Amino acid sequence: MMSTIGKALALLDTLSRLEKEAGLTDIARQCALDKATARRFLVELEKHGFVEQDPDTRRYRIGSGPVRLARIREARFPFLRVAIPFIKTLAELSTETVHLSEFSGGQLSTIHVEDSPRAHRITVDVGSLLPFHATASGLAFLAFCPRVEIDEALKKPLEKFTDYTVTDPQLLRTMLDETAARGFSIIDQGLEAGVISTAAPVRTPGGRPIGCVAIAAPLSRTNTAAIHEFGVQAAAAANAISEKYYGSERPMGTIAKLRRTD
Amino acid sequence: MMSTIGKALALLDTLSRLEKEAGLTDIARQCALDKATARRFLVELEKHGFVEQDPDTRRYRIGSGPVRLARIREARFPFLRVAIPFIKTLAELSTETVHLSEFSGGQLSTIHVEDSPRAHRITVDVGSLLPFHATASGLAFLAFCPRVEIDEALKKPLEKFTDYTVTDPQLLRTMLDETAARGFSIIDQGLEAGVISTAAPVRTPGGRPIGCVAIAAPLSRTNTAAIHEFGVQAAAAANAISEKYYGSERPMGTIAKLRRTD
DNA sequence: CGCATATGGTTCAATATGTGAACCACAGCT
DNA sequence: AGCTGTGGTTCACATATTGAACCATATGCG
């Protein structure tokens, strides 16, 4: 069974996914918890500032506790601060929307977006989740994970978001192999029709992916060559971030050759 | 006894206070938990991205889970975004250090600071905690809280930070009354010698304080008139933030008259 | 080298802790 | 009046949490 802590954090998570503040009954239902249990959790979380209850409406929302922790985390581990300049440059270079994701709590979520300067562009919301099998980021992340984690990810039911979403584990495996070999992933309309994306992982010196740099473009104005160029650029940016972030430790195997020779 | 959730969140909190990443034994000791318990918590927290374990050093640090939540919180409840311009303006106007605090988890903590442009200035760290009885912010916050919460706050042992720190509950009560009547608080060297501060609460339309705007100045270059002027400015800023933040709902009683007539 | 003492991590019986059906109290609606 | 929806509370029962004692490994040291 899931621990109490796990349940409480899951509650926080669902509360964060809700469109807006929610009432006790709602929250309990959404989390599949008893009303009494949900309330005990909420009270406990509130004591520590992780949730707040509006004194008027009595509805609950995420509190400012996480904000405090986030500031400390960012101060010690300034992933965003390091990565954003590269993302910005990449957005200018590619003239397409570039977004950065981070792996956290078993999910890959968008942590920064630089919009394409063009009028016709892809928009991505900060905070949105990126399914492993249906997005370039997901694929790029998974491709550099240990075998076990790939197996586990592909074991779960894979949602079909568009007519083009690949849900066959076997086919996904070959796509992952290609991604690993190439250093970047390409997904054609996996999550949304009309969008093609490419992504490459930011990795620790040990080679573990911690997030991805992705470029998303309207399918209508791209071709194979352009996508490959984007992929190379994304890989270069991801690699540059990894290096800058972790200092100039050993430049990590497989993907190193992809660094642009500039 | 404290709930499991409480203990886990307390662990997160102490982990956040530690200067850097910490090992299992350290963490267990700091949180007064058994090693086994601490580890179970850490594992559980890690599953949800609230802590990370460095794969090499095996030490633990705050994870990126809180960052996700914080972004969502700030998107829905953009306190900082709304408040910062006012804080900036106030810093320019007063030429002293201005800081913004927020109530969370039973504590008042600093969430933003605009430094004085002067060389000789007070510095305040983002994240630092503001004791209710010894800071202008604490006093301003408490002064507009319901009686019960004042009683509770004054019941706790009150630390004496400097020779000037007021720790007598009775005297503090009269100071709170003055603060409530005036709309802003003044604390003379309550937390640090040589520093005088004034603060005013940001409040919900219902009148509940959610945080404070405070101005901190070196005692040596201020006088009664200047401090009062700062107080009025802080109250005006706090009020402006409250209004902007909560829309133009009813301008909330007591403090309304303090809005600057500009 | 061997012994001592750190560290991170694991086990399992005892019990403190969390659980949830049933329970209020209140508010809005018919 | 009743009905139905909230938020919130209680308490006997069940189970998740606890921590002393336990590894395994690593570092320090005479």
Side-chain angles (χ1 to χ4, degrees), chain B residues 200-211:
Chain B
V202 175
R203 305 198 286 158
T204 69
R208 300 185 71 89
I210 61 166

Side-chain angles (χ1 to χ4, degrees), chain B residues 96-97 113 115-116 120-124 194-196 216-219 221:
Chain B
E96 294 292 354
T97 297
V113 181
D115 277 331
S116 160
H120 177 208
R121 66 183 180 221
I122 310 305
T123 60
V124 179
V195 179
I196 190 160
L219 187 63
R221 70 160 163 255

Side-chain angles (χ1 to χ4, degrees), chain A residues 118-157:
Chain A
R118 305 195 187 203
H120 178 208
R121 66 184 181 221
I122 309 305
T123 61
V124 180
D125 289 331
V126 167
S128 60
L129 296 178
L130 306 168
F132 289 111
H133 69 289
T135 64
S137 299
L139 223 58
F141 186 89
L142 220 49
F144 293 89
C145 283
R147 187 64 170 262
V148 208
E149 291 175 39
I150 297 179
D151 294 344
E152 204 168 322
L154 297 184
K155 221 181 293 169
K156 296 176 190 161

Side-chain angles (χ1 to χ4, degrees), chain A residues 4 23-25 35 39 60:
Chain A
T4 310
L24 174 59
T25 311
K35 209 157 45 104
R39 181 156 154 79
Y60 297 89

